[in-house]
Structures are given as structure tokens and as C-alpha cells.
């Protein structure tokens, strides 16, 4: 089965730090996604990528950037972490050849910014 | 823009009983996909069931089935013979028909199954 691996399960960073959240998938998927999950708000899309070096803004891109230099890796970057970015971050990937592809998720990174 | 609404933040059910989780959505598209995902305490999101909007037949997966009402833009999930392992947060999600689009999620329903 597809494996989506997020580099950290828990992370604590200080305000103002540059933070990298890494995500790797092992099934040659075209699409990769970063979501943020907060209680009562569900999952909100930050950025997604449908090809190497391609990216699209989601619903809440402010304060974030992304990088996809290789097909299997999609990084989420917090340029200057703030306390309101304390959240659960979920990475996902899907095949991308047609609509309705099943999305596979990583186990999430719980980020705390202090 | 598409939106997905789950009106039940929390629900509870006894083992072996049946429970229905509600979901409504809004879209101007005619062809699209709908999903239910489960997130147990382990945090791993798992696909429960998938429905193609152009198929009138409701999708089923073992104890899980949906009631898809396209005209009403309603997509409820029925869990039969509930088990303790069904305890999780359940998310309803929408995806456009074309490739290269992202899932749009509702806010989730926390389901607790008790013995």
C-alpha cells in the first residue's frame, strides 16, 4: 500500500523560527497536499502541488510556502513561525491521473510554536 | 466555491446499533466525487467510502453505506452493527471531477461507540 511519511510526529519550535515540515510518498503520485487540522475547523488546505515544481495556493496559504523539487517530496515551510500556527499538519498524496483519486495521508505532525 | 457542512459535531452510539452521520455540500458542478474519511485516535486518516456523483447507486463497503441524494446535495454515512473500533472522527469531503484538484473537507463529526 502507499506510504506517506511525515518527518516528525511532534515538533516544538520558537516564535520567529523557520520551520520545515517534510513529507515523502513512495508511489510516484503526481499530487501532493498540505492540510492544517484544528478542532472545530476540520481540515483546511494550505497548498497543493500537481507536478514537480508546480504549486497552487489553497484556502489558507498566508504565512506558509512550499517546495517540491522532487516528485516524492513536498515540503511545507513556515518562514517565521507564530503561535497561531500551532496546529496539526497533515500531508497527503494521490495518483493524479484522473479526478476522484483516493488520497493517502501521513500520520500528521503536531506542531507547537512557543 | 464548494463547501461541505457536517452539522453534528459529536454523536454517540451503543455497540451493535446503527448510526447515521449527516453531510451536505454546495457546488455548481454536475460531476464530482464525495468521500467519507475516518480519523481514529491514532490520527491516521483512512478512506471509508467513495461515491461518484454520476452514479445513482449508493456506495457500500461492508458495514458502511451512504445515502446520496444529488438533488438535495446530501451525502450521509450509515454505520451498521457499530463496533468499538468505529470510534473516530469522521470527515465528509468533496472533490471536483477533473484531475489535479484537492479534497474539500467538512468540520468533522466525532463518533463515540460504547459497550
Amino acid at each position: 500500500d502507499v506510504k506517506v511519511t511525515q518527518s516528525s510526529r511532534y515538533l516544538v519550535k520558537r516564535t520567529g523560527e523557520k520551520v520545515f515540515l517534510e513529507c515523502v510518498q513512495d508511489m510516484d503520485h503526481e499530487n501532493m497536499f498540505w492540510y492544517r487540522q484544528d478542532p472545530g475547523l476540520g481540515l483546511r488546505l494550505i497548498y497543493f502541488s500537481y507536478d514537480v515544481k508546480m504549486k497552487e495556493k489553497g484556502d489558507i496559504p498566508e504565512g506558509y510556502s512550499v517546495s517540491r523539487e522532487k516528485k516524492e517530496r513536498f515540503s511545507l515551510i513556515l518562514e517565521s513561525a507564530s503561535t497561531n500556527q500551532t496546529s496539526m499538519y497533515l500531508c497527503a498524496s494521490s495518483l493524479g491521473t484522473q479526478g476522484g483519486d483516493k488520497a493517502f495521508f501521513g500520520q500528521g505532525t503536531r506542531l507547537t510554536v512557543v | 466555491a464548494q463547501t461541505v457542512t457536517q452539522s453534528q459535531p459529536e454523536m454517540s452510539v451503543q455497540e451493535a446499533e446503527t448510526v447515521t452521520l449527516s453531510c451536505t455540500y454546495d457546488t455548481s458542478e454536475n460531476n464530482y466525487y464525495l468521500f467519507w474519511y475516518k480519523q481514529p485516535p491514532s490520527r491516521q486518516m483512512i478512506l471509508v467510502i467513495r461515491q461518484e456523483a454520476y452514479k445513482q447507486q449508493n456506495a457500500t463497503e461492508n458495514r458502511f453505506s451512504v445515502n446520496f441524494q444529488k438533488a438535495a446535495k446530501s451525502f450521509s454515512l450509515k454505520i451498521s452493527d457499530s463496533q468499538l473500533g468505529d470510534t473516530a472522527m469522521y470527515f465528509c469531503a468533496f472533490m471536483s471531477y477533473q484531475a489535479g484538484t484537492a479534497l474539500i473537507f467538512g468540520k468533522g463529526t466525532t463518533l463515540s461507540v460504547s459497550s
Side-chain angles (χ1 to χ4, degrees), chain A residues 17-23 34 46-47 55 60-69 74-82 85 89 111:
Chain A
E17 274 193 79
K18 189 169 186 175
V19 181
F20 292 85
L21 303 184
E22 306 286 349
C23 176
W34 275 107
I46 305 172
Y47 269 98
K55 60 186 179 184
I60 51 164
E62 297 79 18
Y64 304 94
S65 62
V66 291
S67 172
R68 194 169 181 200
E69 295 295 320
F74 192 36
S75 303
L76 180 69
I77 304 157
L78 288 66
E79 295 290 342
S80 177
S82 64
Q85 292 178 309
Y89 292 87
L111 172 67

mmCIF file of all heavy atoms in Angstrom, chain A residues 17-23 34 46-47 55 60-69 74-82 85 89 111:
data_model
loop_
_atom_site.group_PDB
_atom_site.id
_atom_site.type_symbol
_atom_site.label_atom_id
_atom_site.label_comp_id
_atom_site.label_asym_id
_atom_site.label_seq_id
_atom_site.Cartn_x
_atom_site.Cartn_y
_atom_site.Cartn_z
ATOM 1 N N GLU A 17 11.133 31.298 14.406
ATOM 2 C CA GLU A 17 11.992 30.300 13.761
ATOM 3 C C GLU A 17 11.466 29.956 12.380
ATOM 4 O O GLU A 17 10.257 30.021 12.120
ATOM 5 C CB GLU A 17 12.028 29.010 14.593
ATOM 6 C CG GLU A 17 13.052 28.992 15.692
ATOM 7 C CD GLU A 17 13.236 27.582 16.249
ATOM 8 O OE1 GLU A 17 13.941 26.774 15.618
ATOM 9 O OE2 GLU A 17 12.662 27.303 17.320
ATOM 10 N N LYS A 18 12.356 29.545 11.494
ATOM 11 C CA LYS A 18 11.967 28.999 10.199
ATOM 12 C C LYS A 18 11.776 27.500 10.396
ATOM 13 O O LYS A 18 12.671 26.815 10.908
ATOM 14 C CB LYS A 18 13.025 29.287 9.157
ATOM 15 C CG LYS A 18 12.604 28.956 7.732
ATOM 16 C CD LYS A 18 13.588 29.518 6.721
ATOM 17 C CE LYS A 18 13.097 29.327 5.293
ATOM 18 N NZ LYS A 18 13.972 29.963 4.294
ATOM 19 N N VAL A 19 10.615 27.003 9.994
ATOM 20 C CA VAL A 19 10.261 25.606 10.251
ATOM 21 C C VAL A 19 10.011 24.875 8.936
ATOM 22 O O VAL A 19 9.330 25.400 8.047
ATOM 23 C CB VAL A 19 8.995 25.519 11.134
ATOM 24 C CG1 VAL A 19 8.641 24.056 11.426
ATOM 25 C CG2 VAL A 19 9.189 26.286 12.445
ATOM 26 N N PHE A 20 10.565 23.684 8.844
ATOM 27 C CA PHE A 20 10.366 22.843 7.662
ATOM 28 C C PHE A 20 9.617 21.583 8.080
ATOM 29 O O PHE A 20 10.059 20.854 8.961
ATOM 30 C CB PHE A 20 11.714 22.433 7.045
ATOM 31 C CG PHE A 20 12.477 23.572 6.440
ATOM 32 C CD1 PHE A 20 13.304 24.367 7.228
ATOM 33 C CD2 PHE A 20 12.380 23.840 5.083
ATOM 34 C CE1 PHE A 20 14.011 25.418 6.676
ATOM 35 C CE2 PHE A 20 13.091 24.891 4.520
ATOM 36 C CZ PHE A 20 13.910 25.682 5.313
ATOM 37 N N LEU A 21 8.492 21.332 7.424
ATOM 38 C CA LEU A 21 7.786 20.076 7.601
ATOM 39 C C LEU A 21 7.936 19.287 6.311
ATOM 40 O O LEU A 21 7.596 19.774 5.230
ATOM 41 C CB LEU A 21 6.305 20.319 7.908
ATOM 42 C CG LEU A 21 5.987 21.183 9.137
ATOM 43 C CD1 LEU A 21 4.484 21.241 9.362
ATOM 44 C CD2 LEU A 21 6.686 20.668 10.375
ATOM 45 N N GLU A 22 8.466 18.072 6.459
ATOM 46 C CA GLU A 22 8.774 17.285 5.272
ATOM 47 C C GLU A 22 7.769 16.146 5.097
ATOM 48 O O GLU A 22 7.326 15.543 6.079
ATOM 49 C CB GLU A 22 10.179 16.689 5.394
ATOM 50 C CG GLU A 22 11.278 17.698 5.680
ATOM 51 C CD GLU A 22 11.631 18.534 4.465
ATOM 52 O OE1 GLU A 22 11.178 18.189 3.342
ATOM 53 O OE2 GLU A 22 12.342 19.535 4.624
ATOM 54 N N CYS A 23 7.486 15.847 3.844
ATOM 55 C CA CYS A 23 6.556 14.773 3.519
ATOM 56 C C CYS A 23 7.104 14.016 2.313
ATOM 57 O O CYS A 23 7.478 14.632 1.310
ATOM 58 C CB CYS A 23 5.179 15.351 3.202
ATOM 59 S SG CYS A 23 3.955 14.127 2.680
ATOM 60 N N TRP A 34 -0.896 19.720 1.443
ATOM 61 C CA TRP A 34 -0.698 20.034 2.857
ATOM 62 C C TRP A 34 -1.992 20.630 3.402
ATOM 63 O O TRP A 34 -2.534 21.595 2.854
ATOM 64 C CB TRP A 34 0.436 21.033 3.071
ATOM 65 C CG TRP A 34 1.791 20.406 3.138
ATOM 66 C CD1 TRP A 34 2.774 20.442 2.201
ATOM 67 C CD2 TRP A 34 2.329 19.646 4.233
ATOM 68 N NE1 TRP A 34 3.877 19.747 2.631
ATOM 69 C CE2 TRP A 34 3.632 19.249 3.869
ATOM 70 C CE3 TRP A 34 1.827 19.263 5.483
ATOM 71 C CZ2 TRP A 34 4.444 18.485 4.712
ATOM 72 C CZ3 TRP A 34 2.638 18.508 6.317
ATOM 73 C CH2 TRP A 34 3.927 18.138 5.933
ATOM 74 N N ILE A 46 -3.779 24.159 2.703
ATOM 75 C CA ILE A 46 -2.784 25.236 2.717
ATOM 76 C C ILE A 46 -2.206 25.425 1.306
ATOM 77 O O ILE A 46 -2.265 26.517 0.737
ATOM 78 C CB ILE A 46 -1.641 24.924 3.706
ATOM 79 C CG1 ILE A 46 -2.186 24.631 5.102
ATOM 80 C CG2 ILE A 46 -0.654 26.085 3.761
ATOM 81 C CD1 ILE A 46 -1.141 24.126 6.081
ATOM 82 N N TYR A 47 -1.641 24.367 0.763
ATOM 83 C CA TYR A 47 -1.073 24.360 -0.580
ATOM 84 C C TYR A 47 -1.224 22.958 -1.165
ATOM 85 O O TYR A 47 -1.286 21.975 -0.429
ATOM 86 C CB TYR A 47 0.430 24.680 -0.543
ATOM 87 C CG TYR A 47 0.805 26.129 -0.687
ATOM 88 C CD1 TYR A 47 1.077 26.897 0.447
ATOM 89 C CD2 TYR A 47 0.917 26.722 -1.934
ATOM 90 C CE1 TYR A 47 1.435 28.229 0.331
ATOM 91 C CE2 TYR A 47 1.278 28.060 -2.062
ATOM 92 C CZ TYR A 47 1.534 28.811 -0.925
ATOM 93 O OH TYR A 47 1.890 30.127 -1.043
ATOM 94 N N LYS A 55 2.900 24.483 -7.913
ATOM 95 C CA LYS A 55 2.187 24.615 -6.658
ATOM 96 C C LYS A 55 0.972 25.519 -6.864
ATOM 97 O O LYS A 55 0.965 26.379 -7.733
ATOM 98 C CB LYS A 55 3.093 25.212 -5.575
ATOM 99 C CG LYS A 55 3.640 26.590 -5.911
ATOM 100 C CD LYS A 55 4.639 27.057 -4.873
ATOM 101 C CE LYS A 55 5.187 28.432 -5.248
ATOM 102 N NZ LYS A 55 6.233 28.889 -4.323
ATOM 103 N N ILE A 60 -5.804 28.692 2.883
ATOM 104 C CA ILE A 60 -5.122 29.451 3.939
ATOM 105 C C ILE A 60 -3.610 29.457 3.725
ATOM 106 O O ILE A 60 -2.842 29.011 4.570
ATOM 107 C CB ILE A 60 -5.457 28.898 5.343
ATOM 108 C CG1 ILE A 60 -5.227 27.376 5.413
ATOM 109 C CG2 ILE A 60 -6.906 29.219 5.723
ATOM 110 C CD1 ILE A 60 -5.174 26.846 6.825
ATOM 111 N N PRO A 61 -3.099 30.021 2.627
ATOM 112 C CA PRO A 61 -1.654 29.975 2.354
ATOM 113 C C PRO A 61 -0.823 31.005 3.106
ATOM 114 O O PRO A 61 0.416 30.905 3.128
ATOM 115 C CB PRO A 61 -1.610 30.250 0.852
ATOM 116 C CG PRO A 61 -2.787 31.169 0.627
ATOM 117 C CD PRO A 61 -3.862 30.686 1.576
ATOM 118 N N GLU A 62 -1.456 31.978 3.730
ATOM 119 C CA GLU A 62 -0.715 33.082 4.350
ATOM 120 C C GLU A 62 0.195 32.552 5.455
ATOM 121 O O GLU A 62 -0.233 31.824 6.341
ATOM 122 C CB GLU A 62 -1.682 34.122 4.931
ATOM 123 C CG GLU A 62 -2.576 34.802 3.896
ATOM 124 C CD GLU A 62 -3.759 33.948 3.472
ATOM 125 O OE1 GLU A 62 -4.097 32.978 4.193
ATOM 126 O OE2 GLU A 62 -4.342 34.240 2.414
ATOM 127 N N GLY A 63 1.455 32.974 5.400
ATOM 128 C CA GLY A 63 2.430 32.562 6.405
ATOM 129 C C GLY A 63 3.142 31.264 6.077
ATOM 130 O O GLY A 63 4.013 30.830 6.836
ATOM 131 N N TYR A 64 2.779 30.654 4.938
ATOM 132 C CA TYR A 64 3.371 29.375 4.533
ATOM 133 C C TYR A 64 3.928 29.471 3.115
ATOM 134 O O TYR A 64 3.469 30.274 2.309
ATOM 135 C CB TYR A 64 2.322 28.261 4.559
ATOM 136 C CG TYR A 64 1.617 28.054 5.869
ATOM 137 C CD1 TYR A 64 0.396 28.674 6.115
ATOM 138 C CD2 TYR A 64 2.155 27.231 6.847
ATOM 139 C CE1 TYR A 64 -0.275 28.486 7.317
ATOM 140 C CE2 TYR A 64 1.495 27.035 8.049
ATOM 141 C CZ TYR A 64 0.281 27.668 8.276
ATOM 142 O OH TYR A 64 -0.377 27.483 9.471
ATOM 143 N N SER A 65 4.898 28.637 2.840
ATOM 144 C CA SER A 65 5.336 28.420 1.467
ATOM 145 C C SER A 65 5.615 26.933 1.321
ATOM 146 O O SER A 65 5.607 26.193 2.309
ATOM 147 C CB SER A 65 6.581 29.251 1.126
ATOM 148 O OG SER A 65 7.672 28.872 1.956
ATOM 149 N N VAL A 66 5.821 26.487 0.097
ATOM 150 C CA VAL A 66 6.066 25.067 -0.150
ATOM 151 C C VAL A 66 7.181 24.914 -1.167
ATOM 152 O O VAL A 66 7.521 25.832 -1.904
ATOM 153 C CB VAL A 66 4.806 24.320 -0.657
ATOM 154 C CG1 VAL A 66 3.757 24.201 0.429
ATOM 155 C CG2 VAL A 66 4.249 24.983 -1.906
ATOM 156 N N SER A 67 7.707 23.693 -1.187
ATOM 157 C CA SER A 67 8.755 23.359 -2.150
ATOM 158 C C SER A 67 8.545 21.932 -2.609
ATOM 159 O O SER A 67 8.329 21.033 -1.784
ATOM 160 C CB SER A 67 10.133 23.497 -1.502
ATOM 161 O OG SER A 67 11.139 23.008 -2.345
ATOM 162 N N ARG A 68 8.633 21.745 -3.930
ATOM 163 C CA ARG A 68 8.575 20.387 -4.474
ATOM 164 C C ARG A 68 9.617 20.280 -5.583
ATOM 165 O O ARG A 68 9.321 20.458 -6.752
ATOM 166 C CB ARG A 68 7.188 20.049 -4.994
ATOM 167 C CG ARG A 68 7.046 18.543 -5.247
ATOM 168 C CD ARG A 68 5.631 18.167 -5.500
ATOM 169 N NE ARG A 68 5.498 16.734 -5.714
ATOM 170 C CZ ARG A 68 4.459 16.174 -6.323
ATOM 171 N NH1 ARG A 68 3.472 16.940 -6.762
ATOM 172 N NH2 ARG A 68 4.412 14.869 -6.479
ATOM 173 N N GLU A 69 10.819 19.944 -5.174
ATOM 174 C CA GLU A 69 11.932 19.803 -6.112
ATOM 175 C C GLU A 69 11.989 18.405 -6.717
ATOM 176 O O GLU A 69 12.485 18.221 -7.829
ATOM 177 C CB GLU A 69 13.244 20.120 -5.400
ATOM 178 C CG GLU A 69 13.347 21.569 -4.932
ATOM 179 C CD GLU A 69 13.366 22.538 -6.096
ATOM 180 O OE1 GLU A 69 14.009 22.246 -7.119
ATOM 181 O OE2 GLU A 69 12.713 23.602 -5.993
ATOM 182 N N PHE A 74 7.444 16.724 -0.679
ATOM 183 C CA PHE A 74 6.704 18.006 -0.665
ATOM 184 C C PHE A 74 6.902 18.625 0.707
ATOM 185 O O PHE A 74 6.488 18.049 1.716
ATOM 186 C CB PHE A 74 5.219 17.734 -0.944
ATOM 187 C CG PHE A 74 4.385 18.958 -1.233
ATOM 188 C CD1 PHE A 74 4.894 20.034 -1.936
ATOM 189 C CD2 PHE A 74 3.050 19.007 -0.843
ATOM 190 C CE1 PHE A 74 4.113 21.134 -2.235
ATOM 191 C CE2 PHE A 74 2.258 20.112 -1.131
ATOM 192 C CZ PHE A 74 2.790 21.174 -1.824
ATOM 193 N N SER A 75 7.553 19.779 0.726
ATOM 194 C CA SER A 75 7.897 20.413 1.999
ATOM 195 C C SER A 75 7.012 21.623 2.258
ATOM 196 O O SER A 75 6.743 22.411 1.350
ATOM 197 C CB SER A 75 9.366 20.861 1.971
ATOM 198 O OG SER A 75 10.208 19.767 1.705
ATOM 199 N N LEU A 76 6.615 21.756 3.493
ATOM 200 C CA LEU A 76 5.868 22.943 3.937
ATOM 201 C C LEU A 76 6.807 23.779 4.789
ATOM 202 O O LEU A 76 7.463 23.254 5.692
ATOM 203 C CB LEU A 76 4.640 22.528 4.748
ATOM 204 C CG LEU A 76 3.773 23.669 5.285
ATOM 205 C CD1 LEU A 76 3.058 24.383 4.131
ATOM 206 C CD2 LEU A 76 2.752 23.139 6.290
ATOM 207 N N ILE A 77 6.871 25.067 4.480
ATOM 208 C CA ILE A 77 7.810 25.952 5.157
ATOM 209 C C ILE A 77 7.054 27.072 5.873
ATOM 210 O O ILE A 77 6.207 27.741 5.254
ATOM 211 C CB ILE A 77 8.798 26.564 4.144
ATOM 212 C CG1 ILE A 77 9.517 25.443 3.386
ATOM 213 C CG2 ILE A 77 9.819 27.469 4.851
ATOM 214 C CD1 ILE A 77 10.064 25.841 2.052
ATOM 215 N N LEU A 78 7.358 27.217 7.144
ATOM 216 C CA LEU A 78 6.856 28.363 7.899
ATOM 217 C C LEU A 78 8.023 29.334 8.012
ATOM 218 O O LEU A 78 9.001 29.062 8.706
ATOM 219 C CB LEU A 78 6.373 27.941 9.293
ATOM 220 C CG LEU A 78 5.076 27.148 9.399
ATOM 221 C CD1 LEU A 78 5.182 25.759 8.772
ATOM 222 C CD2 LEU A 78 4.643 27.052 10.862
ATOM 223 N N GLU A 79 7.952 30.424 7.279
ATOM 224 C CA GLU A 79 9.088 31.332 7.170
ATOM 225 C C GLU A 79 9.465 31.934 8.521
ATOM 226 O O GLU A 79 10.635 32.081 8.843
ATOM 227 C CB GLU A 79 8.762 32.443 6.171
ATOM 228 C CG GLU A 79 8.570 31.951 4.746
ATOM 229 C CD GLU A 79 9.876 31.481 4.096
ATOM 230 O OE1 GLU A 79 10.965 31.840 4.597
ATOM 231 O OE2 GLU A 79 9.805 30.743 3.091
ATOM 232 N N SER A 80 8.474 32.277 9.311
ATOM 233 C CA SER A 80 8.701 32.849 10.641
ATOM 234 C C SER A 80 7.536 32.391 11.523
ATOM 235 O O SER A 80 6.470 32.984 11.512
ATOM 236 C CB SER A 80 8.760 34.375 10.558
ATOM 237 O OG SER A 80 8.914 34.939 11.854
ATOM 238 N N ALA A 81 7.773 31.315 12.238
ATOM 239 C CA ALA A 81 6.680 30.668 12.961
ATOM 240 C C ALA A 81 6.035 31.616 13.970
ATOM 241 O O ALA A 81 6.720 32.394 14.656
ATOM 242 C CB ALA A 81 7.195 29.425 13.669
ATOM 243 N N SER A 82 4.724 31.510 14.054
ATOM 244 C CA SER A 82 3.970 32.288 15.034
ATOM 245 C C SER A 82 3.074 31.356 15.834
ATOM 246 O O SER A 82 2.770 30.232 15.410
ATOM 247 C CB SER A 82 3.138 33.367 14.341
ATOM 248 O OG SER A 82 2.159 32.759 13.521
ATOM 249 N N GLN A 85 0.167 29.458 14.435
ATOM 250 C CA GLN A 85 0.430 28.335 13.538
ATOM 251 C C GLN A 85 0.586 27.028 14.308
ATOM 252 O O GLN A 85 0.882 25.981 13.712
ATOM 253 C CB GLN A 85 1.669 28.613 12.684
ATOM 254 C CG GLN A 85 1.427 29.741 11.690
ATOM 255 C CD GLN A 85 2.652 30.064 10.863
ATOM 256 O OE1 GLN A 85 3.754 30.268 11.409
ATOM 257 N NE2 GLN A 85 2.482 30.139 9.559
ATOM 258 N N TYR A 89 -0.614 19.265 11.301
ATOM 259 C CA TYR A 89 -0.405 19.385 9.854
ATOM 260 C C TYR A 89 -0.422 17.995 9.230
ATOM 261 O O TYR A 89 0.304 17.098 9.665
ATOM 262 C CB TYR A 89 0.917 20.097 9.567
ATOM 263 C CG TYR A 89 0.872 21.554 9.976
ATOM 264 C CD1 TYR A 89 1.194 21.950 11.269
ATOM 265 C CD2 TYR A 89 0.474 22.531 9.064
ATOM 266 C CE1 TYR A 89 1.127 23.283 11.649
ATOM 267 C CE2 TYR A 89 0.404 23.864 9.435
ATOM 268 C CZ TYR A 89 0.722 24.226 10.736
ATOM 269 O OH TYR A 89 0.651 25.546 11.106
ATOM 270 N N LEU A 111 2.489 20.421 15.574
ATOM 271 C CA LEU A 111 3.453 21.500 15.763
ATOM 272 C C LEU A 111 2.971 22.438 16.859
ATOM 273 O O LEU A 111 1.833 22.916 16.829
ATOM 274 C CB LEU A 111 3.634 22.279 14.461
ATOM 275 C CG LEU A 111 4.477 23.555 14.544
ATOM 276 C CD1 LEU A 111 5.936 23.211 14.841
ATOM 277 C CD2 LEU A 111 4.378 24.369 13.256
#
